[in-house]
Amino acid sequence: MRDLDRRGVDAVINLGDALSGPLLPQATAEFLMAQDWEHLAGNHERQVLTLGPGRWGPEDAFTHGQLAPEVLAWIATLQPARRYSRDLYLCHATPASDLDYLLDTVEPSGAVRAAPAILAGWYLGQQSGHALADLLLGRHAPSGRLPVSFPQAAGQQPFFYNHRATGRPQQRADDARFKARYLEVTNEALYPFGHGLGYGEIVYEAVDLDTETLAWNGRCQVRVRVRNVGPRAMREVVQLYIHQRVTSPVRPVRELRGVQAVELAAGETASVVFTLTRHDLAHRDDQGRERVEAGWFDLWLAPSAAAGTPVSLRLRRR
């Protein structure tokens, strides 16, 4: 409470599931009832009121036994979802169910696809509430990148950005016959590996190589200029991907080989450089040994595994 006062918070919203668990249910309820906050009912509040003996889990059975009648009556007045303002809708879990996690299954329709932006966090720790509040209120800009790809539909799982090419790749979205493709969705991820947004806009210029042929014991610099055209500072994460066109065994369509984070003020431009040797183009054989094969590579400097335009680099053995 002292921290809320220190931060000048003018509204607190309790999204439910506040009385079941390792706490004192009656004392917690009395504290919440005394606050001028917005309260929602979660699935545990509903279960405490409606399931009854024999159907409660251990935590809800304990909670029900501790609560006074006036607290149970207060819980009965709570709604699971409601519109808080023109721009903010409150719900526990999803608007339709207090048990379904909003991002458990990403489908091509519904709240996930309709949202202009999604702030995702996984097990952020004890200070997660403060961190999320700072991001939502604009005190800091988000700069994280997805460590996995979000599929368009559950049937695409498992989804890997670094999958291997097939014998019949789908080159265009309208390729329908005799192609390696899904029947009801395209092959792309809904949100690809490495994707992430901030409170600005970053423009990538063309990728430049200082040489188109990398000698076996040589070095090659890959460079891109990135520009913040938004009104706020941004932390951009530039990602280096490679693909070897012909090799044994077949290599993934893209492989992440490096990242660099760069801080950009509004309107600022910076040059990001990666220095490559043949070891950065290597792969592991079935015995775990490093192997390097000469040939042509595609290189990307991009904001995600699905973005960017490749440039060509040839690795020459001698």
Side-chain angles (χ1 to χ4, degrees):
M1 295 296 292
R2 288 193 299 270
D3 186 58
L4 293 177
D5 293 338
R6 179 180 63 82
R7 289 173 173 261
V9 174
D10 53 15
V12 178
I13 299 169
N14 166 26
L15 293 177
D17 282 1
L19 302 178
S20 295
L23 44 76
L24 299 174
Q26 180 65 29
T28 302
E30 291 173 356
F31 170 80
L32 293 174
M33 293 168 65
Q35 308 307 314
D36 185 23
W37 295 350
E38 190 73 34
H39 301 280
L40 293 186
N43 59 291
H44 281 284
E45 281 82 16
R46 173 182 56 78
Q47 290 162 190
V48 164
L49 288 179
T50 63
L51 290 187
R55 299 179 61 197
W56 284 316
E59 66 275 24
D60 291 333
F62 173 78
T63 297
H64 188 275
Q66 296 291 310
L67 297 181
E70 60 270 17
V71 174
L72 295 174
W74 173 72
I75 294 175
T77 67
L78 303 181
Q79 302 177 50
R82 65 177 294 269
R83 182 168 294 281
Y84 181 75
S85 66
R86 183 178 66 86
D87 299 319
L88 185 59
Y89 187 85
L90 307 178
C91 64
H92 182 94
T94 70
S97 170
D98 61 12
L99 290 175
D100 293 334
Y101 293 101
L102 184 62
L103 292 178
D104 253 14
T105 301
V106 180
E107 296 290 354
S109 61
V112 172
R113 290 297 295 269
I118 298 170
L119 181 61
W122 295 273
Y123 300 104
L124 301 179
Q126 291 184 343
Q127 295 300 313
S128 61
H130 295 158
L132 291 173
D134 287 342
L135 292 175
L136 291 172
L137 296 174
R139 297 191 182 102
H140 298 283
S143 60
R145 297 297 183 266
L146 285 180
V148 295
S149 297
F150 277 36
Q152 298 181 53
Q156 287 182 287
Q157 298 180 90
F159 193 106
F160 302 99
Y161 88 91
N162 54 343
H163 63 84
R164 284 161 173 76
T166 70
R168 291 175 173 171
Q170 186 184 29
Q171 302 292 345
R172 305 186 313 273
D174 58 354
D175 282 344
R177 290 171 57 83
F178 310 118
K179 302 295 182 183
R181 59 180 293 273
Y182 294 98
L183 293 179
E184 297 177 346
V185 295
T186 61
N187 288 350
E188 291 75 25
L190 178 59
Y191 306 117
F193 176 92
H195 174 68
L197 300 176
Y199 294 141
E201 181 182 356
I202 303 297
V203 173
Y204 281 64
E205 298 182 4
V207 177
D208 179 63
L209 301 175
D210 67 349
T211 177
E212 294 182 354
T213 301
L214 174 60
W216 192 253
N217 293 317
R219 295 174 180 271
C220 170
Q221 286 195 337
V222 190
R223 183 188 312 268
V224 68
R225 285 169 59 84
V226 290
R227 184 170 73 258
N228 181 4
V229 299
R232 298 189 46 165
M234 284 278 290
R235 181 177 185 266
E236 178 64 6
V237 180
V238 181
Q239 302 159 42
L240 167 66
Y241 294 92
I242 71 167
H243 167 66
Q244 189 165 11
R245 298 176 187 174
V246 180
T247 184
S248 58
V250 174
R251 300 279 291 276
V253 295
R254 287 203 199 191
E255 298 176 80
L256 180 67
R257 287 303 168 93
V259 296
Q260 287 192 40
V262 56
E263 304 285 346
L264 296 170
E268 184 180 2
T269 299
S271 184
V272 179
V273 181
F274 292 82
T275 301
L276 303 182
T277 69
R278 74 173 190 271
H279 300 289
D280 297 299
L281 307 176
H283 63 276
R284 298 286 172 177
D285 64 16
D286 57 2
Q287 300 299 315
R289 297 170 298 196
E290 181 181 283
R291 291 189 59 183
V292 184
E293 299 184 26
W296 285 97
F297 290 79
D298 295 318
L299 307 179
W300 293 263
L301 293 182
S304 77
T309 301
V311 294
S312 298
L313 174 69
R314 182 188 179 190
L315 174 62
R316 190 180 63 202
R317 181 169 290 278
R318 291 288 181 262

